[in-house]
Amino acid sequence: MSPPPPQPLSRDLVLKAAIRVADRGGVEAITMRRVAQELGVEAMSLYHHVPNKDAILDGVVDMVFAAIELPSAECDDWRDAIRARASSARAVLSQHSWALGLMDSRRSPGPATLRHHDAVLGVLREAGFTLPMAAHAVSLIDSYIAGYVLQEVSLPMTTPDDVEEVAGGLLELLPADELPYLTEMIRDHALRPGYDHTSEFGYGLELILDALEARRK
């Protein structure tokens, strides 16, 4: 059975290839040559679909935004909508953490990016946030998500077993009498049965949402 014919090159395929390149090597790995190699074509053929590297960067940012769940304006509680959007953003950006430094640096946002920002602002404004408070809320929530993702992808652990191994090894080296509070935190918190460090995201987000709700009122 002969293999299926290659899919015709398109802008969408070019951007998806660029994302795969960045997932492996970071945003600096995105070049016309490497994206072409990813697709198995000559670099010159990309110019029929994207004019330059900047267009690729704008496009991949928009594609990442498109993957993040839009907050629903139909939620009875604005916090439920923002909570779902924050969880989706964390999941998407954890897969494409290279996009964090890129998302706020582009000067030509695409349609998915604009729809995303408008939807978030819409939920806040319809919930009764003043315009300045909506701006504060977006800045605070997005800074929290970005900072948490950066920290999370840098940690030398991803599972509870990893936590036990890393924290347990550190505990063995700590002079407990000199560092009593750190010892206590590791022994009685990080190493307790059932502890899951990934739950910290939800805890921090709830603090932010509660504080914004108090200001909204």
Side-chain angles (χ1 to χ4, degrees), residues 2-200:
S2 59
Q7 196 171 354
L9 200 59
S10 66
R11 179 178 181 273
D12 190 62
L13 284 180
V14 171
L15 297 180
K16 288 179 179 178
I19 287 176
R20 293 195 300 271
V21 169
D23 284 344
R24 292 195 302 267
V27 67
E28 63 276 3
I30 297 180
T31 65
M32 300 297 275
R33 181 178 61 82
R34 287 181 179 173
V35 173
Q37 288 176 342
E38 181 73 17
L39 291 165
V41 300
E42 294 294 329
M44 288 302 296
S45 62
L46 300 186
Y47 290 97
H48 296 290
H49 307 281
V50 288
N52 49 43
K53 178 181 173 179
D54 276 340
I56 291 181
L57 296 180
D58 289 336
V60 295
V61 165
D62 206 48
M63 200 166 267
V64 170
F65 267 112
I68 300 172
E69 178 183 335
L70 287 177
S72 173
E74 298 177 0
C75 284
D76 293 333
D77 188 336
W78 68 272
R79 290 173 294 189
D80 290 338
I82 296 300
R83 189 182 296 113
R85 178 258 178 179
S87 296
S88 177
R90 175 198 177 190
V92 171
L93 293 173
S94 292
Q95 296 176 5
H96 312 298
S97 57
W98 51 266
L100 285 168
L102 196 61
M103 295 171 83
D104 294 327
S105 67
R106 307 310 298 167
R107 296 188 177 186
S108 301
T113 303
L114 297 174
R115 279 195 303 270
H116 187 94
H117 291 320
D118 188 74
V120 174
L121 288 170
V123 166
L124 297 172
R125 293 289 283 140
E126 292 300 323
F129 281 83
T130 64
L131 196 55
M133 271 305 302
H136 295 326
V138 169
S139 178
L140 178 58
I141 293 167
D142 284 359
S143 295
Y144 174 69
I145 295 170
Y148 192 92
V149 169
L150 281 176
Q151 181 189 56
E152 192 170 36
V153 299
S154 300
L155 288 174
M157 50 197 180
T158 57
T159 68
D161 287 342
D162 293 337
V163 174
E164 185 173 352
E165 180 181 349
V166 173
L170 181 59
L171 187 62
E172 293 178 0
L173 301 175
L174 284 182
D177 54 338
E178 295 179 24
L179 304 170
Y181 301 109
L182 183 57
T183 300
E184 178 190 40
M185 175 63 71
I186 295 173
R187 183 188 61 223
D188 300 333
H189 185 69
L191 289 177
R192 80 179 191 273
Y195 173 69
D196 182 3
H197 72 285
T198 62
S199 65
E200 297 295 344

